[in-house]
Amino acid sequence: MAPTESAPGAERFIPGEAHSLDDLKEAAPGCRGCELYADATQVVFGRGAAHAKIVMVGEQPGDIEDQKGLPFVGPAGHLLRRAVDAAGIDPGTLYITNAVKHFRFVQRGKRRIHQTPEQQHITACRPWLVSEFALLRPEVVVVLGATAAKALLGPSFRVTRQRGEVLPWPDAAQHPDDFRVAPIEGGVEVPPGKLVATIHPSAVLRADDQDGAFNGLVDDLKVVASVVSGR
């Protein structure tokens, strides 16, 4: 299906009575906020504990994620798990999601080739991300790559320039007021946290120097670990 020039957005598909991440997850398959739902196998929502100390936001599900219905279970996900372990982060403290919840691809023969989401897809899907954050209280938000940065921090943010820096959350967001209170919980004020941006693990897989790229990702995640532990 060819992309539409505009997308109606996910806002009207998010249940007003949602009080948990499970409520959001149950409603997400009905989203028609952009055209990506039509060709994807299924929606891929976030996973992890509602009390997670660290929330990681990636780009979109890949081919394997689209088939299994879970984020970060393909090659990039396995690499991320290795990096998380190497950085000394407890996987039980994580909630992992994506800025765009459906797989965008182009069909070439039997293969489905990943296509980077466009701004219209990021904008259309953003209400799901905001709703997830309304139910989460992370100490640290981890931005994985450029698409997640566009969704949370705006198009002018460059991961390559500011990766590994500790920034204030939600003050660093493009629209910080979207994350200061939890409208899904009646306007409860959300405690401030920190944000660290780094490369997406798929960038490590594409790098000429994979060892160097992996070590750079681990170094950034060690910053995250230090913020959580207070070191």
Side-chain angles (χ1 to χ4, degrees), residues 205-229:
L205 296 174
R206 295 192 303 267
D208 292 333
D209 178 9
Q210 290 194 11
D211 289 341
F214 179 79
N215 291 336
L217 174 60
V218 172
D219 286 344
D220 292 341
L221 294 181
K222 284 181 178 178
V223 173
V224 175
S226 69
V227 172
V228 172
S229 67

